[in-house]
Amino acid sequence: MNNQSSTTYREIVECIEKKVEEGQWSVGRKLPTQRELAAAFGVNRSTVIHALDVLKERGIIESKTGSGTYISNHDPSNVSKSFVNWNDFSKYSLHPTNHDIVRKINKLELDDSIIQLGKGELHEELFPKRLFNDSLRSLETTYNHYGYDDGTGDYRYRKAVSSYLKERGIASSPDTILPVSGALQALQLITLGLLQMGATVYTPQISYVHSLHVFRTSGMKLKSIPFKRQRLDTDYLRNDLYRNKGSSMLYANPTFQNPVTTTLDGHSRKELVKLSQEYKMPVIEDDIFRDLWIDQEPQPPIASLDHSGHTLFIGSFSKTMAPTLRIGWMTGPADVMEKLSDLRMQLDYGTSFLPQLAMYDFLETGRYDEHLKTLRKELCDRRDTLVYLLEKHIADAATWEIPAGGMFIWVRFSDDINVRRLFSSLVDRGVLINPGFIYSYYHNQYVRLSYTSSSLEEMEYGVKVMRDVLDYLK
Ligand SMILES: Cc1ncc(COP(=O)(O)O)c(C=O)c1O
């Protein structure tokens, strides 16, 4: 689609026909609204209506009363041929598609023309290109295994991750490390391989998994545990565990928790270890933001306090390096890792060796530590800049706490501000934020802002635009 106002109805017809012919828009797909099409093509609604009438006459689209306009069940080149309706199939899939807003955000996050003020990624300026290229060169000699794996991954990578974990207080051996294609895959493996249907998954009141389908689609019940400041209400959890006779597990992202950025205090961590032993409740510790501390090293991982094998510890290089590497790890009791590596064999034959070997070299040569030192200085600078900009431009409309690390500031807008409108007006002005309502209905007034995903100039521009939009909304 283009944005030129000189677009004619014929061009719109051709554009939509092309999308259907090339299979980009399949049968049963709902078309954007007339208003959205008009905005996308930069034309009046009457031009869109004219184009849609032509497409209807040609049998390419059909209107369903009260529901919208859809690609119809006709091949434009052969009216008698019918198609599989993929949309009907996906409706009944175990994994429903993401919420519309989440899909919209996922798309906009890839749009270079948009200022990314919400994304949980490092801006490319923060990627250690020179250092990482040196490690990529090492692949010339280290890449020496060309067959299928047995699901357990590369020994050298597992050994390097085991040393990395030791430095963070977690005892492990290469046999208890399972390479994964990102922390999200570890969560999926645990769900598929270990959780019973109907099990209860406890999680702090608002966390990353609230925006995911990963547990819910597998029949798990997500149950929130109240969380105040740095402390989890472990008494609430104890009472619930006492009453709950079914199987249960706890998911925590205890360090710079996404999206709220808080870190569980030492007391809560110790209590969780006690409860996990008392009630034989496994704990999934997703510690993906641990290395992004700014002011001081965070509390030791829960896994380092647990000497009875109740914790599965997950990490990844998506947040400290780049998510496109798709490389992470999981550690826990050897028999559990063996079971999950067998599951890997059934699903996809294991993680690609290339990122494992690159990260093995990056860790072994000390380049990762060198990168973290530089990164922490950058994070500090960026966090302080964003705090300064928020204070300067939006302090009358919002409140926040300064995070001690991670990537985000969790901002609460005052009740007179409609955050949904703020979100869409900002998108219209080329700035993307992450609204709290994608995590929970109760966090409608919140927004997750990132200080890592834009350049400093973009950050400043983005906050100034936010100021303008707030004035316009008030
Ligand atoms: C808490 C948490 N866990 C896991 C992930 C996914 O990480 P990965 O890219 O390693 O799959 C994210 C991504 O934002 C996250 O915030």
Side-chain angles (χ1 to χ4, degrees), residues 120 181-187 208-209 212 251 253 257-258 286-289 314-319 323 326-328 408 448:
S181 307
L184 186 52
Q185 186 184 47
L187 293 178
Y208 172 63
V209 286
L212 296 178
Y251 167 83
N253 168 213
Q257 183 180 315
N258 182 6
D286 175 351
D287 220 12
I288 190 166
F289 297 104
I314 298 173
S316 142
F317 294 108
S318 287
K319 304 299 172 186
R326 303 314 298 138
I327 183 72
F408 313 118
R448 188 187 83 179

Side-chain angles (χ1 to χ4, degrees), residues 255-256 290 292-299 376 383 404-405:
T255 316
F256 313 128
R290 164 160 295 275
L292 299 182
W293 56 267
I294 298 175
D295 300 327
Q296 61 187 50
E297 241 180 277
Q299 290 286 336
R376 283 196 189 109
R383 177 200 59 182

